[in-house]
Amino acid sequence: MGNLEAVKKKLRGSIAPIITPFNEDGSIDFETLEQLINWHIESGSHAISVTGTTGEPSSLTLEERVQVMKAAVKAVNGRVPFVPGTGSTNHAETLYLTKIAQEIGADAALVIVPYYNKPSQHALYKHFKAVADSVDIPIIVYNIPGRTAVNLEVKTLAKLREDCPNIIGVKESNKDFEHVNRVLLECGRDFLLYSGIELLCYPMLAIGGAGYISATANVEPKKVAEMYNAWNAGNVQRALELHYELMPLNDVLFKDTNPAPVKAALGMMGKIKPVLRLPMDLPTQALQDEIREVLKRYVDLPEEVSSNS
């Protein structure tokens, strides 16, 4: 626990939530995963996360989640902090995955509010406290009410912060901006607040946020990281310019359920085979065409791809 403050200082900026690449047959493409991680680190992403929402964890078996975590920590090789997603709707699985994260040397674990079963606030407190008590590594709570059907209330989070020293922050995929302001008011300004809503990445920095975990970083890692760097250096104007520059890309990447548009875009860029596991699938052809047109504003697409409309 003694290194918590040191870890908190490192866990700032753009934590890139990497997709899980698949081969055409649906198996995990570990070689491409390593290539993506290297590209992100070279592009300036401040930390790497896998098996979060963007990594399709509910489409992976428990064994596959462990395999992805182990492959990722090996590829990162200590160059930047590593923060795997270890949460599940199943309490025992969450404990197991979070302990694995500690064993393999993760810098922190990102633990989602359990989805589908809609626990009470009291039950959420007991769940997260048990997870935090089971490990020594820092825990970042992940609140995404649009997917979990329950909102982790500020008072619940504040009690967890008070009772669990290794709960150091929260990823808020929460469009309620009043809620996220109150997180820092009630949990303390040193609590690490990350945006999981793309259009709130810049605004959350302005209220004292530590950074963001943005799916758009999969496509434009350099500019997403640069926005934090500009803000951190006091260049507010440049950060604001990047906020608006990234907005059309943010918009089109969320016209279908994440990570379907992101995988389509990465396929167009030649970075991955654009494969998802059912029940997820690629966007409609019409949306793919729209993604391609927006993408051309940001990256040079391979000629054979950009001409194939």
Side-chain angles (χ1 to χ4, degrees):
M1 291 283 195
N3 67 342
L4 279 179
E5 289 305 315
V7 173
K8 286 174 70 173
K9 288 179 181 177
K10 293 194 300 180
L11 287 173
R12 295 180 177 273
S14 174
I15 301 176
I18 310 293
I19 59 101
T20 302
F22 297 127
N23 293 302
E24 295 291 352
D25 64 0
S27 61
I28 298 170
D29 185 348
F30 289 102
E31 182 179 352
T32 296
L33 177 63
E34 181 180 0
Q35 292 170 357
L36 288 172
I37 289 171
N38 288 334
W39 176 54
H40 271 276
I41 294 173
E42 291 161 7
S43 299
S45 294
H46 301 99
I48 298 294
S49 181
V50 295
T51 59
T53 302
T54 309
E56 296 173 78
S58 59
S59 295
L60 303 175
T61 67
L62 199 60
E63 181 183 2
E64 286 175 329
R65 289 186 66 170
V66 173
Q67 290 172 348
V68 170
M69 288 163 57
K70 288 182 175 179
V73 77
K74 183 178 178 182
V76 171
N77 195 27
R79 290 177 288 172
V80 296
F82 175 58
V83 188
T86 61
S88 165
T89 194
N90 181 290
H91 180 70
E93 287 183 2
T94 302
L95 289 172
Y96 172 72
L97 289 168
T98 307
K99 288 175 182 176
I100 293 288
Q102 175 168 283
E103 288 172 13
I104 66 175
D107 294 274
L110 181 67
V111 184
I112 194 169
V113 168
Y115 37 90
Y116 179 73
N117 44 26
K118 297 179 70 173
S120 67
Q121 295 299 307
H122 175 65
L124 286 173
Y125 171 84
K126 290 176 69 176
H127 170 73
F128 281 108
K129 187 174 190 308
V131 174
D133 288 348
S134 73
V135 293
D136 293 326
I137 60 171
I139 300 295
I140 298 169
V141 175
Y142 180 11
N143 188 31
I144 180 168
R147 290 231 189 195
T148 62
V150 62
N151 184 43
L152 182 68
E153 295 176 4
V154 174
K155 64 181 181 181
T156 308
L157 186 60
K159 183 167 174 53
L160 283 166
R161 196 271 157 95
E162 181 181 351
D163 295 346
C164 308
N166 59 329
I167 292 183
I168 62 167
V170 62
K171 175 187 177 182
E172 284 283 356
S173 293
N174 198 323
K175 293 184 177 180
D176 183 348
F177 202 59
E178 180 179 342
H179 171 99
V180 297
N181 276 267
R182 295 192 181 282
V183 166
L184 289 183
L185 178 67
E186 299 298 332
C187 294
R189 298 275 294 280
D190 62 331
F191 198 61
L192 301 181
L193 171 67
Y194 305 94
S195 177
I197 299 287
E198 276 58 29
L199 296 190
L200 294 183
C201 289
Y202 172 82
M204 280 206 201
L205 293 177
I207 64 168
Y212 34 79
I213 305 175
S214 166
T216 303
N218 279 278
V219 178
E220 259 287 20
K222 190 171 183 179
K223 286 183 177 176
V224 172
E226 187 190 347
M227 184 168 69
Y228 176 82
N229 292 339
W231 172 265
N232 195 46
N235 191 346
V236 176
Q237 188 58 41
R238 177 57 181 157
L240 190 58
E241 286 171 4
L242 285 162
H243 168 69
Y244 285 107
E245 184 179 335
L246 288 164
M247 198 176 289
L249 183 60
N250 290 331
D251 287 345
V252 80
L253 291 179
F254 284 85
K255 287 196 171 185
D256 194 356
T257 303
N258 181 44
V262 167
K263 281 198 159 181
L266 286 170
M268 295 170 197
M269 294 165 64
K271 293 286 186 185
I272 67 167
K273 305 174 190 74
V275 178
L276 294 93
R277 288 179 175 176
L278 291 172
M280 301 292 289
D281 198 7
L282 288 170
T284 63
Q285 189 58 53
L287 180 51
Q288 290 190 52
D289 292 343
E290 186 179 348
I291 291 168
R292 184 178 295 109
E293 289 307 307
V294 173
L295 203 53
K296 289 177 183 176
R297 305 184 210 172
Y298 298 88
V299 298
D300 294 325
L301 297 180
E303 188 176 339
E304 68 274 12
V305 178
S306 61
S307 62
N308 180 21
S309 57

